[in-house]
Amino acid sequence: MDAYDEGSDARHGPDARPGPDAPGRSAPPEERGAAPEERGAPAESARPVEPSGPLGAHPLGEPRTGVAALSLRYRIAVALALAVVAVGVCVHLGMTFLHVAPANTVTKAHGKAVDDWIYPEFEQNWKLFAPNPLQQNISIQVRAEVRGPDGSPSITGWYDLSAEDGRAIDKNLLPSHTQQNELRRAWDFYVATHDGENRPVGLRGSLSESYLRRIMVLRLDRDDAVRAATGGAGVIERVQVRSRTSNVPPPRWSREKVSTTPSYRELPWWKVPQDEAVGGVR
């Protein structure tokens, strides 16, 4: 029989459905008088369960973690603390940027506020856009004239205080500010207030001498220099300071030639006041 003779509902192939009178075809539920549930109506138990509580709440049985587990009052406190930290970080970064940046309108108008924020704890030894790395190794050394119990004087050897600080800083995750900067700043202060003949320039010359001398006496007392020189008790009468300067060798790939021979600058002997000599100044 031709497909055209069966009407427009005739189908061929695997998608063809048997006709109403085809053998083996079962009647639909409507014709069998089936209940509505059997005719495909969804049962009440199959409906999706609506989440209870406010919108965005966690599903039942899933505990909240982190900040979300805190009460509203504590979440507000955490948010305020984070805001304060963020503001503090932004202010610090801004102040540091203004400190290392070239002179501009803001630093001219608010330079004192920037310096008050940076010094002394956050000092930066570089300038933005114009870095000036140190190209010399400068070590500060000191020796003392000690008067023993019998009144006889003796002179100690040179103590390399910079080397002592270097050994204290090496492999130290948290070196102190004193170990890193005390000697360097004291020497820079002295050099800035004295000429090449060690004569003070300006009103701060005597202040820099007193500051450097007191540091030397304290460090000699820490190193027990008197006992090492006299074998017992004694008093420091005078101290002498010198600097040892050597150029940092250039890298191997550089064609630059510099002398690595160290040069020395010896200062005159300074008499130590009695209150400093007996350790009264700290």
Side-chain angles (χ1 to χ4, degrees):
M1 180 182 294
D2 197 346
Y4 292 100
D5 298 334
E6 298 181 1
S8 59
D9 294 334
R11 296 187 180 182
H12 300 277
D15 294 334
R17 293 183 180 178
D21 301 329
R25 178 183 179 274
S26 60
E30 293 83 353
E31 298 179 8
R32 298 198 310 268
E37 291 80 6
E38 297 180 5
R39 291 200 294 267
E44 184 176 357
S45 59
R47 294 177 182 176
V49 178
E50 295 294 336
S52 60
L55 184 62
H58 289 266
L60 296 177
E62 182 180 345
R64 295 183 296 180
T65 60
V67 179
L70 301 175
S71 63
L72 178 60
R73 180 175 59 182
Y74 287 105
R75 277 184 284 177
I76 293 175
V78 171
L80 291 176
L82 292 177
V84 171
V85 172
V87 171
V89 171
C90 292
V91 171
H92 179 69
L93 292 178
M95 290 293 189
T96 304
F97 175 81
L98 292 174
H99 176 68
V100 302
N104 53 71
T105 304
V106 178
T107 54
K108 291 178 181 178
H110 306 285
K112 187 178 184 305
V114 174
D115 291 342
D116 291 342
W117 180 276
I118 293 296
Y119 293 107
E121 296 298 333
F122 306 117
E123 179 186 1
Q124 304 295 319
N125 190 28
W126 59 283
K127 293 296 182 181
L128 192 64
F129 308 126
N132 185 25
L134 298 177
Q135 299 181 2
Q136 293 178 327
N137 288 323
I138 302 177
S139 60
I140 309 303
Q141 303 173 355
V142 64
R143 64 178 178 177
E145 180 182 308
V146 179
R147 177 170 51 85
D150 57 354
S152 61
S154 60
I155 297 178
T156 67
W158 289 101
Y159 286 82
D160 194 338
L161 304 183
S162 297
E164 293 179 1
D165 287 347
R167 288 190 293 269
I169 294 172
D170 189 26
K171 298 180 181 180
N172 187 351
L173 297 180
L174 297 173
S176 70
H177 188 74
T178 300
Q179 293 169 339
Q180 297 179 81
N181 297 314
E182 183 182 57
L183 279 177
R184 179 181 62 84
R185 294 297 303 274
W187 181 253
D188 290 345
F189 185 25
Y190 177 87
V191 172
T193 55
H194 288 74
D195 59 14
E197 299 298 327
N198 299 317
R199 293 173 299 194
V201 178
L203 299 177
R204 301 205 303 169
S206 59
L207 177 62
S208 65
E209 291 181 9
S210 176
Y211 180 56
L212 186 60
R213 185 187 66 244
R214 292 186 180 192
I215 291 176
M216 297 300 107
V217 174
L218 291 174
R219 295 293 295 269
L220 288 170
D221 181 67
R222 185 190 307 173
D223 291 338
D224 206 4
V226 173
R227 183 177 298 276
T230 63
V235 178
I236 298 177
E237 292 282 338
R238 299 189 301 168
V239 294
Q240 185 180 27
V241 183
R242 75 176 183 180
S243 66
R244 180 183 185 275
T245 304
S246 59
N247 294 321
V248 177
R252 297 179 180 179
W253 48 263
S254 175
R255 297 182 179 180
E256 182 182 3
K257 302 296 183 181
V258 298
S259 175
T260 57
T261 303
S263 60
Y264 294 88
R265 177 178 177 176
E266 289 190 2
L267 307 187
W269 283 93
W270 290 333
K271 184 174 179 57
V272 178
Q274 185 177 2
D275 56 347
E276 294 182 22
V278 298
V281 178
R282 286 288 184 265

